[in-house]
Amino acid sequence: GDSVTQMEGPVTLSEEAFLTINCTYTATGYPSLFWYVQYPGEGLQLLLKATKADDKGSNKGFEATYRKETTSFHLEKGSVQVSDSAVYFCALSDMGSSNTGKLIFGQGTTLQVKP
Amino acid sequence: GAVVSQHPSRVICKSGTSVKIECRSLDFQATTMFWYRQFPKQSLMLMATSNEGSKATYEQGVEKDKFLINHASLTLSTLTVTSAHPEDSSFYICSARDMGLAGGPLYNEQFFGPGTRLTVL
């Protein structure tokens, strides 16, 4: 079945460092891809998304490009801030003919940014 | 807009009792809601898909008689954990899918509630 694999954390960076969180997926169809962020004690918030190959999602300085050839959707940010400390989840959803809307999540990557 | 609430945010109960968790879409209609379970430092696991006016669809391995789901209106779904036991202690999160204006920016997007922390003693 469909699945999502993220790099294991925790990831610890100094403020203003460059961030990459790897995400790869397996899917039989043409999924939409998402990054969600979960701040401590809160629910998930959509960070960015891409619905087709070569699309780039971006938000709040974060970006990720839908790479069909490598089945990847890596999250990047050029300069992280302490406020970016959170758990980041990569997810996919098959929005094709079935369009169940079900999201399949990766295991999550904890990011800790130190001043 | 696109806010999903959950109630209660935190509940502690005795083993053997039942607990009901509500999930509401506050400013949009959600024909579909999803219930997830999250263990500490782990990912979200989809438990069931809740469709307004019909029976929920449970994921493999989820006991439908233990986790009762009711989606009686376009803005409310409830999850009842029946005869709760300590192993049911977890963080339960719901999400609601916006099926409003087709082609609109939020169409088909899922919005998550803040979660409910259940502790069974």
Side-chain angles (χ1 to χ4, degrees):
Chain A
D2 296 356
S3 66
V4 177
T5 303
Q6 287 179 238
M7 63 185 288
E8 288 194 20
V11 174
T12 303
L13 296 173
S14 297
E15 205 165 23
E16 298 184 3
F18 184 87
L19 168 71
T20 299
I21 300 178
N22 290 338
C23 171
T24 57
Y25 68 91
T26 58
T28 52
Y30 299 93
S32 292
L33 301 174
F34 306 83
W35 277 101
Y36 285 86
V37 57
Q38 185 178 32
Y39 297 103
E42 299 183 14
L44 271 70
Q45 301 175 26
L46 178 64
L47 182 59
L48 54 84
K49 67 180 180 182
T51 57
K52 61 183 187 297
D54 299 325
D55 268 2
K56 178 185 284 188
S58 61
N59 185 26
K60 299 180 181 180
F62 292 89
E63 59 182 34
T65 301
Y66 189 142
R67 302 283 188 200
K68 187 181 176 185
E69 64 275 13
T70 54
T71 61
S72 65
F73 193 55
H74 304 322
L75 182 69
E76 296 182 337
K77 186 174 185 181
S79 176
V80 294
Q81 306 299 314
V82 173
S83 57
D84 294 326
S85 298
V87 181
Y88 292 82
F89 291 95
C90 185
L92 69 80
S93 176
D94 183 358
M95 306 294 260
S97 58
S98 61
N99 196 13
T100 63
K102 288 166 56 172
L103 285 171
I104 296 172
F105 286 90
Q107 61 267 49
T109 302
T110 300
L111 170 66
Q112 184 177 18
V113 181
K114 295 186 174 181
Chain B
V3 177
V4 176
S5 70
Q6 276 184 248
H7 178 79
S9 58
R10 210 175 270 276
V11 57
I12 301 172
C13 68
K14 293 182 180 180
S15 186
T17 60
S18 294
V19 175
K20 180 185 283 188
I21 302 170
E22 293 185 347
C23 177
R24 293 181 185 272
S25 57
L26 298 185
D27 49 5
F28 66 98
Q29 293 183 335
T31 53
T32 305
M33 290 183 173
F34 302 89
W35 286 96
Y36 297 86
R37 184 172 178 177
Q38 184 180 31
F39 292 99
K41 299 186 179 181
Q42 292 189 30
S43 187
L44 281 74
M45 291 182 56
L46 179 64
M47 299 174 64
T49 302
S50 169
N51 297 297
E52 186 265 338
S54 64
K55 290 183 179 180
T57 303
Y58 290 83
E59 295 299 302
Q60 193 171 10
V62 177
E63 299 177 60
K64 61 181 182 181
D65 294 331
K66 181 167 186 61
F67 297 99
L68 300 179
I69 291 172
N70 183 282
H71 194 158
S73 78
L74 287 173
T75 59
L76 173 65
S77 175
T78 59
L79 168 68
T80 301
V81 183
T82 62
S83 187
H85 292 285
E87 57 266 29
D88 299 324
S89 299
S90 192
F91 195 51
Y92 292 87
I93 301 174
C94 74
S95 70
R97 191 161 69 147
D98 188 338
M99 297 297 288
L101 179 63
L106 302 180
Y107 178 67
N108 235 353
E109 187 167 322
Q110 278 190 45
F111 298 93
F112 286 79
T116 297
R117 173 77 59 194
L118 170 63
T119 303
V120 185
L121 302 176

